[in-house]
Amino acid sequence: MHNSTSIKFFFIVASLLLSAFSQAESDMAIPKSESLVVTPQSKETQDQGTKQAPSEDSTTPTKKIEKKDPTSSTEMDTKPVSDTEKDAKVDYPFSSQTVVNIARNLAKSPMIAPDVAPELLTNLDAATYQKIDFQQNKAVWGNTPTPFSIQLFAPGYLYKDLVSIDVVENGRGFPLEVSASSFTTPTQKIDDLIAKAGKYAGLRLHYPLNAPDQNDEFIVFQGASYFRAISKGQTYGLSSRGLAINVAQPTGEEFPRFKHFWIERPSVTQKAIVVHALLDSKSVTGAFRFGIYPGSPTRVDVQATLFPRVDIQHVGLAPLNSMFMYDGTLDHSDRPNYRPELHNSDGLQIQTGSDEVLWRPLNNPKTLQISAFLDTSPKGFGLIQRDNKFSDYQDLDADYQDRPSSWIKPLNDWGAGNIELVEIPSNSKSNDNIVAYWEPKDGLKKDVPYTYSYQLTWPNDTPILAGKPHIVRSARTVSLPNNNPEVVIDYSNLSVSDLSKVAVNASISQGSIIKTRVVQNPNIKGLRVFVTFDTQEADVAELRVQLKENDQPLASTWLYRWLKQK
């Protein structure tokens, strides 16, 4: 049943002018403007650029359906139902190309404002909205033994934009109709208003993720182009999006939305399910195919084709959103807090096109910070929740230690561009103040389709570092007697017999490195590195530290933006 446990939020971009920093080396973060004001949205004021966290203990009966392997749609040469979405109550031919054709034709005209829910539904408060439950006996395939079941979200509260949802069976699509009995609600009036709206606000999928006799909710699509998922043993944390446009730009951010979903019916034996989505926005349309594989970790294979209505310079592919308040070592809480750390992610990990692995601890800055990591043909990136013990957080309710990491692996050549990291000042754990995505160097061009694909997983840590050394802790201190700033970096599972052969290659974009030192850290079967430096009063300095033995990297390259304390 629908029981929201939290609501994730993004931010409103204030229209101020950007000022640029000079370009740094391609393997370091490029500082951008700090003057633009960006405010994370509060829990009470979020709009359609947000999404709602569903309950983690929902269970749904299932129902039997036969179908071929869902990992590949029926690729027949069918004509699109129409030049726009098909709302007829009859079935129609469907394949992946159907959504591509709709998106292409939709891009030929200006965006039409979405249908919205009746005002009385959007005026509902959070408590009332949370009492609206999708009827379990109405769940798609809810009474047959297929391992997947679908539950749908009603429009209302913050979710005013209406979403069409269709089911695909044997190459034919048909819409899921809404009636007054589709949901259990507090009043008959709300029943009637939902039936009048005639569409939904999103969907969630269930699967026996943690036990064979219980269907667990594991992925949700709701609000703009937001979606999020969990793997076995995890609880909801960071979010993903279909597309990001003009993040932290003076024009203000544009939030594309998934306006129509198609869900392919799986058979009783299948362990994957396919969801298609039509994306629409003022600047672009798009066709998305999600091949969804619940498990350990849960995996989603994304294929997307975008149709720009205009030139778009600042576009973010495979965007991730997360929350970072403090880690207690590099970034401390401004107020007393019983939690040693508070975050959904604590670092950005990157595998560059040249196979260098970067680790960038996150920051909750006093001013907006944007970092760009230049690359060509990146092999992967993600927001990582590395600290995974209860003692790291001491929170009995939120289970931050069980929140997932998220890893993006491009499945085609993404060419030249940069991974952009946006860090937004925040004083509330209810705000998503961290954004990371890939920005193509040349952006998108009007009337030129752009196709790309990637694999998205929700592991417990960086998948490419399994069995390899990890940077497990970063801290700041001062070096006596001169009180020069110093960072301390711990590397786990790194065995070196002769420390004299370990080279600490450290650099700083402003100021100078004073000294470095490396010692054994038997507590983590690794090493501890000290780097002392002088920023010469610079407001911003980019630090880079790499350990090498015989000129070969021993672990990830450590990067950090040092901000002058004010």
Side-chain angles (χ1 to χ4, degrees):
M1 305 291 284
H2 185 175
N3 176 22
S4 301
T5 58
S6 63
I7 303 178
K8 302 309 297 176
F9 304 89
F10 201 51
F11 50 85
I12 305 170
V13 180
S15 296
L16 303 176
L17 293 176
L18 286 167
S19 61
F21 284 92
S22 59
Q23 179 171 307
E25 295 182 5
S26 64
D27 57 0
M28 295 182 64
I30 300 176
K32 293 190 179 180
S33 170
E34 301 172 39
S35 61
L36 185 66
V37 177
V38 181
T39 307
Q41 283 192 328
S42 68
K43 184 173 291 187
E44 289 74 24
T45 59
Q46 70 163 348
D47 202 271
Q48 291 301 300
T50 65
K51 65 181 290 298
Q52 181 168 348
S55 66
E56 290 133 16
D57 56 358
S58 302
T59 60
T60 307
T62 54
K63 117 179 182 178
K64 175 183 180 183
I65 300 177
E66 298 293 336
K67 191 181 183 300
K68 65 179 185 178
D69 188 347
T71 59
S72 60
S73 301
T74 308
E75 297 294 343
M76 62 182 77
D77 291 329
T78 56
K79 294 178 64 178
V81 182
S82 67
D83 288 347
T84 58
E85 297 173 90
K86 181 69 173 178
D87 286 327
K89 304 304 181 184
V90 296
D91 65 343
Y92 52 89
F94 180 88
S95 74
S96 292
Q97 190 62 36
T98 303
V99 189
V100 174
N101 291 343
I102 294 173
R104 179 187 293 111
N105 291 329
L106 200 62
K108 296 175 182 178
S109 304
M111 186 190 78
I112 299 175
D115 295 332
V116 297
E119 186 176 357
L120 290 175
L121 285 180
T122 59
N123 286 341
L124 294 177
D125 58 25
T128 304
Y129 181 75
Q130 290 170 11
K131 294 177 182 177
I132 302 175
D133 293 328
F134 191 72
Q135 291 272 39
Q136 290 199 30
N137 62 355
K138 294 285 186 178
V140 182
W141 317 313
N143 295 317
T144 60
T146 183
F148 291 93
S149 64
I150 305 168
Q151 292 197 12
L152 308 177
F153 291 113
Y157 182 41
L158 302 169
Y159 304 99
K160 63 180 182 180
D161 290 348
L162 300 180
V163 176
S164 299
I165 299 179
D166 291 18
V167 168
V168 178
E169 299 179 2
N170 300 317
R172 308 289 296 183
F174 61 89
L176 294 177
E177 299 184 22
V178 185
S179 70
S181 62
S182 295
F183 297 86
T184 58
T185 73
T187 68
Q188 181 63 46
K189 186 174 184 180
I190 294 177
D191 288 343
D192 296 338
L193 288 170
I194 291 174
K196 179 181 178 182
K199 294 183 181 180
Y200 301 93
L203 64 97
R204 56 184 176 178
L205 301 180
H206 297 246
Y207 183 83
L209 189 65
N210 295 297
D213 59 346
Q214 178 175 332
N215 264 16
D216 301 298
E217 178 186 311
F218 75 97
I219 190 168
V220 176
F221 294 84
Q222 187 183 29
S225 66
Y226 283 79
F227 63 99
R228 59 179 177 167
I230 54 174
S231 301
K232 183 177 181 179
Q234 295 176 345
T235 59
Y236 281 113
L238 79 171
S239 301
S240 302
R241 284 195 276 169
L243 196 68
I245 298 177
N246 292 333
V247 177
Q249 294 301 309
T251 54
E253 182 168 357
E254 179 178 330
F255 288 92
R257 58 181 292 266
F258 290 136
K259 63 181 296 184
H260 198 149
F261 291 97
W262 292 262
I263 308 165
E264 292 193 25
R265 183 182 73 179
S267 75
V268 64
T269 61
Q270 289 169 339
K271 298 181 180 180
I273 188 170
V274 171
V275 174
H276 305 265
L278 175 65
L279 180 134
D280 196 15
S281 190
K282 179 180 179 182
S283 301
V284 65
T285 68
F288 284 72
R289 179 190 184 276
F290 301 94
I292 302 170
Y293 302 76
S296 183
T298 291
R299 182 182 103 227
V300 175
D301 293 340
V302 183
Q303 299 174 8
T305 302
L306 304 177
F307 297 94
R309 288 183 166 109
V310 297
D311 290 348
I312 310 173
Q313 183 57 46
H314 301 286
V315 60
L317 308 185
L320 301 172
N321 284 54
S322 193
M323 178 274 291
F324 179 88
M325 292 299 294
Y326 58 88
D327 59 11
T329 54
L330 277 176
D331 200 311
H332 298 270
S333 176
D334 293 334
R335 301 187 296 266
N337 197 308
Y338 69 90
R339 305 175 186 89
E341 305 179 35
L342 183 55
H343 49 74
N344 285 338
S345 306
D346 54 5
L348 170 67
Q349 192 98 64
I350 299 172
Q351 183 182 20
T352 70
S354 61
D355 268 333
E356 182 178 15
V357 180
L358 310 177
W359 175 253
R360 165 62 153 79
L362 298 178
N363 190 18
N364 183 4
K366 302 297 183 185
T367 58
L368 173 71
Q369 299 295 314
I370 306 175
S371 304
F373 304 86
L374 300 180
D375 200 7
T376 300
S377 305
K379 294 185 177 179
F381 70 95
L383 292 175
I384 306 301
Q385 181 78 323
R386 181 146 294 165
D387 293 339
N388 55 13
K389 299 185 295 296
F390 171 77
S391 58
D392 295 325
Y393 307 95
Q394 293 289 338
D395 194 307
L396 294 171
D397 301 314
D399 293 327
Y400 290 103
Q401 71 277 3
D402 296 329
R403 303 202 172 189
S405 300
S406 190
W407 185 252
I408 305 289
K409 177 184 177 181
L411 297 178
N412 65 319
D413 188 350
W414 285 10
N418 59 266
I419 293 166
E420 192 147 288
L421 173 65
V422 180
E423 297 167 302
I424 307 161
S426 176
N427 59 8
S428 173
K429 63 184 176 66
S430 297
N431 297 329
D432 271 347
N433 64 321
I434 302 296
V435 194
Y437 50 82
W438 172 257
E439 184 176 80
K441 178 182 177 181
D442 297 324
L444 304 181
K445 302 302 181 184
K446 179 182 179 181
D447 297 332
V448 179
Y450 188 95
T451 298
Y452 61 102
S453 60
Y454 59 96
Q455 184 181 97
L456 174 57
T457 55
W458 285 266
N460 292 321
D461 204 327
T462 308
I464 61 169
L465 294 182
K468 297 181 180 180
H470 283 60
I471 296 174
V472 294
R473 183 174 179 268
S474 307
R476 65 166 67 206
T477 184
V478 293
S479 176
L480 300 175
N482 297 323
N483 288 330
N484 288 308
E486 186 174 69
V487 293
V488 182
I489 310 167
D490 284 332
Y491 299 79
S492 69
N493 301 316
L494 181 54
S495 177
V496 176
S497 57
D498 187 354
L499 288 181
S500 66
K501 295 183 179 180
V502 177
V504 181
N505 294 344
S507 61
I508 189 168
S509 61
Q510 301 290 330
S512 62
I513 301 295
I514 297 176
K515 62 180 179 180
T516 64
R517 182 165 61 99
V518 58
V519 299
Q520 297 280 1
N521 188 343
N523 299 286
I524 56 174
K525 299 179 181 179
L527 303 178
R528 173 169 289 180
V529 173
F530 298 82
V531 179
T532 309
F533 55 96
D534 180 4
T535 62
Q536 298 176 359
E537 298 301 316
D539 289 335
V540 181
E542 300 289 347
L543 284 162
R544 174 185 171 91
V545 179
Q546 186 178 46
L547 292 188
K548 286 189 173 183
E549 183 180 36
N550 298 324
D551 206 34
Q552 296 298 313
L554 292 174
S556 302
T557 299
W558 185 90
L559 304 177
Y560 191 66
R561 173 169 292 181
W562 184 271
L563 300 173
K564 184 177 181 180
Q565 301 297 301
K566 298 181 181 179

